[in-house]
Amino acid sequence: MEIPVIRNVLEANDKMAAQLRGLFAARGILVLNLISSPGAGKTSLLERTLTDLAPEFRMAVIEGDLQTDNDARRVAASGAQAVQINTEGGCHLDGNMVMQALGALNLDGVDILFIENVGNLVCPVEFDCGEDAKVALLSVTEGDDKPEKYPLLFNLAQAMVLNKVDLLPYVDFDVQRAEKFATMANENLGVFEVSCRTGEGLEGWYNWLRARRAAKKPA
Amino acid sequence: MEIPVIRNVLEANDKMAAQLRGLFAARGILVLNLISSPGAGKTSLLERTLTDLAPEFRMAVIEGDLQTDNDARRVAASGAQAVQINTEGGCHLDGNMVMQALGALNLDGVDILFIENVGNLVCPVEFDCGEDAKVALLSVTEGDDKPEKYPLLFNLAQAMVLNKVDLLPYVDFDVQRAEKFATMANENLGVFEVSCRTGEGLEGWYNWLRARRAAKKPA
C-alpha cells in the first residue's frame, strides 16, 4: 500500500526539482544540499563557511527545521541572507518547499545557495531539491558504522564532511572504517575531516567549494 | 496531496498497533520503543541493560535498521533473543514490521521487549508499534537545542536518556537548557543522565525499568 504512494510523491518532486535546477542554472548559482543526523554540525559548518568565505562569495541559506527559526538566526548573524522553512513535523525538505522559500530570497548576484535540510539521515536523501550536489555530514560521535548502515546518502553525496574530529581522543571511532564504507558507497566521494569548533581541516572543504563554484560559472 | 496519504497510513498502523498491544497485554510483556538520532547510543544502552539486568529479567530485542544485522549481533552477544528488521530504505518501524518480527521470537516468559527503532528523530515518533512507552535518547554531542527543535518525541516519550555525559567536558552542551525544553514538552518525562561508555548513571534508568516492569505484572 505504501510503496506506490511514495513513488507518486517522488515523481511529483522530481518534476519540481527539474524546474528548480533550470532556475538555478539560468542564474549560475551553485546549490548544495546539506544532509546529516540532527546535531552533526550542519549549522556550525555554515556559520564557519559563511564567515570565512564572505570575502570571496555571495552566499544565501535555506534552513529546514520542524520548528523554530534558531538556525536561520544563527547563520544570518554572519551577514548572509537566510530564510527558514518550518516543516511542522515533516521529516525532509522537498522541491515545493524550496521553491516557496526562493520567494523570500533575493538571488541577484548569489554565488552559492546552501540548503540545510532537516536533521535526518534517511528521508531527505530521496527528495531532490534541485541541488548540484548533496553534501553529507557525519560527526565522529555518531559511530563509525553509519556509512555502512545508511549507505544511500553516501552513495548519492559528492562530499562527506567528517566533523568533530577534535573529539576523536574521547570516543571510539575508527576514521578508516567510516571512510572505507563511505567510499565503498561512492568511490568519488570527497572526504574532509574537520572540526567546526576549532576550525581544523576546513581549508580542504573550502577548496572543494571553490572548485565546485568555479566549475559552475554562469554562461 | 501528501497529508491524506499519510493519514491513511497512520490509521492503518494504529489498527495494527492495537492488535500488538492486545497481544503484549495478554502475555504481560513490557514493551519499550527506543527512538533517537543515529548514533545517540540506543544499541549501547541495550548492550549495557541486557547484560546488567540479565539476572532479573528475561529480555528480547527487535532491531530496526535500513540494512545490516550489526546491531542484532551486538545485542545478541549479551545472550538475549534478538531479531533484525531491515527496512531497506524505510525511515521508521511500523506495526506490520513488528508483527512480522514477532514470528521470529519466542515470547514465552519474556518480561521486557525492546524495540530499537531506525535512527531518526522524526519519522518513528508517529508510528505506534504497540509499545507501553517510547523512550527518547539524546546524546550530549548532538547539541542542547534538540528538544526544542524536535519536541514531538519528547512530548510523547515517557523517559529521556541523556547519553554520553562523559563527553560533557569537551562539548558545548547546556544540560539544563536541554532538560528545560524536554520537560516543557512533557512535564512527566523521566530524565536519566548516563554514559553507556563508562556506565555512569545507569542505575536510575534501571530503577525506572524495574518500576515499569512491576507495574505491568501479568494478571
Side-chain angles (χ1 to χ4, degrees):
Chain A
M1 177 176 163
E2 210 173 348
I3 291 168
V5 168
I6 288 174
R7 281 201 184 122
N8 289 345
V9 170
L10 285 175
E11 278 170 20
N13 186 68
D14 284 346
K15 286 181 192 161
M16 179 58 76
Q19 284 190 41
L20 285 165
R21 194 162 277 114
L23 187 158
F24 297 139
R27 290 175 168 271
I29 301 172
L30 175 68
V31 181
L32 301 173
N33 187 355
L34 274 56
I35 300 178
S36 78
S37 301
K42 295 180 294 305
T43 314
S44 298
L45 182 71
L46 286 177
E47 288 177 311
R48 285 273 186 183
T49 304
L50 296 170
T51 302
D52 292 347
L53 298 190
E56 296 174 57
F57 303 120
R58 185 172 295 197
M59 294 171 282
V61 181
I62 295 174
E63 283 287 343
D65 280 296
L66 277 71
Q67 48 193 76
T68 82
D69 62 356
N70 295 1
D71 288 357
R73 284 189 283 112
R74 280 175 62 188
V75 300
S78 71
Q81 277 192 85
V83 55
Q84 179 81 49
I85 301 173
N86 278 163
T87 64
E88 292 174 11
C91 51
H92 59 270
L93 296 182
D94 63 22
N96 273 313
M97 296 178 202
V98 170
M99 188 63 92
Q100 282 179 40
L102 292 184
L105 286 175
N106 176 4
L107 294 180
D108 292 347
V110 168
D111 299 302
I112 305 177
L113 173 65
F114 293 102
I115 300 171
E116 181 182 336
N117 223 305
V118 177
N120 185 325
L121 214 45
V122 184
C123 314
V125 181
E126 298 195 80
F127 286 82
D128 187 346
C129 292
E131 68 271 5
D132 293 285
K134 296 184 208 305
V135 175
L137 267 81
L138 179 68
S139 61
V140 304
T141 55
E142 291 171 67
D144 51 31
D145 58 343
K146 295 304 167 293
E148 183 184 5
K149 290 176 66 181
Y150 301 83
L152 186 61
L153 171 59
F154 301 91
N155 176 252
L156 295 179
Q158 299 190 23
M160 171 174 99
V161 176
L162 183 63
N163 190 22
K164 308 191 191 180
V165 295
D166 55 308
L167 296 178
L168 279 171
Y170 314 113
V171 296
D172 306 312
F173 186 95
D174 182 337
V175 172
Q176 288 192 312
R177 183 182 175 213
E179 293 183 357
K180 183 183 87 173
F181 280 103
T183 53
M184 269 170 60
N186 175 2
E187 63 183 14
N188 296 314
L189 191 71
V191 176
F192 307 102
E193 301 171 8
V194 313
S195 166
C196 292
R197 192 162 180 246
T198 67
E200 178 184 349
L202 286 169
E203 200 53 36
W205 158 246
Y206 294 156
N207 284 335
W208 183 85
L209 276 179
R210 291 178 182 116
R212 292 303 305 238
R213 176 57 259 181
K216 180 85 185 192
K217 277 285 180 237
Chain B
M1 177 175 162
E2 210 172 348
I3 291 169
V5 168
I6 288 175
R7 280 201 184 124
N8 290 346
V9 170
L10 285 175
E11 278 169 20
N13 187 68
D14 284 346
K15 286 180 192 162
M16 179 58 76
Q19 284 190 40
L20 285 166
R21 195 162 276 116
L23 187 158
F24 296 139
R27 289 175 168 270
I29 301 173
L30 175 68
V31 181
L32 300 172
N33 186 355
L34 273 57
I35 300 178
S36 78
S37 301
K42 296 181 293 304
T43 314
S44 298
L45 181 70
L46 286 177
E47 288 177 313
R48 285 275 187 180
T49 304
L50 295 170
T51 302
D52 293 347
L53 299 189
E56 297 176 55
F57 303 120
R58 185 172 295 197
M59 292 170 284
V61 180
I62 296 175
E63 283 288 344
D65 280 297
L66 276 72
Q67 47 193 76
T68 81
D69 62 356
N70 295 0
D71 288 356
R73 284 190 281 112
R74 280 175 61 188
V75 300
S78 71
Q81 277 192 85
V83 55
Q84 179 81 48
I85 300 173
N86 279 163
T87 63
E88 292 173 11
C91 51
H92 59 269
L93 296 182
D94 64 21
N96 273 314
M97 296 178 202
V98 170
M99 188 63 92
Q100 282 179 39
L102 292 185
L105 287 175
N106 176 5
L107 294 180
D108 292 348
V110 168
D111 299 301
I112 305 176
L113 173 64
F114 293 101
I115 300 171
E116 182 182 336
N117 223 304
V118 176
N120 184 326
L121 214 44
V122 184
C123 314
V125 181
E126 298 197 80
F127 286 83
D128 187 346
C129 292
E131 67 271 4
D132 292 285
K134 296 184 207 305
V135 175
L137 267 81
L138 179 67
S139 61
V140 303
T141 55
E142 291 171 68
D144 50 32
D145 58 342
K146 295 304 167 291
E148 184 184 5
K149 290 175 65 180
Y150 301 83
L152 186 61
L153 171 59
F154 300 92
N155 176 251
L156 295 179
Q158 297 190 24
M160 172 174 98
V161 176
L162 183 63
N163 190 23
K164 308 191 190 179
V165 295
D166 56 309
L167 296 178
L168 279 172
Y170 313 113
V171 296
D172 306 310
F173 186 95
D174 182 338
V175 172
Q176 287 192 312
R177 182 182 177 213
E179 294 183 356
K180 183 183 86 172
F181 280 103
T183 52
M184 269 171 59
N186 175 2
E187 62 182 14
N188 296 313
L189 190 71
V191 176
F192 306 103
E193 300 171 9
V194 313
S195 166
C196 293
R197 193 163 180 246
T198 67
E200 178 185 348
L202 286 169
E203 200 54 36
W205 158 245
Y206 295 156
N207 284 335
W208 183 86
L209 278 179
R210 290 179 183 116
R212 293 301 308 238
R213 176 59 258 179
K216 180 84 185 194
K217 277 285 179 235

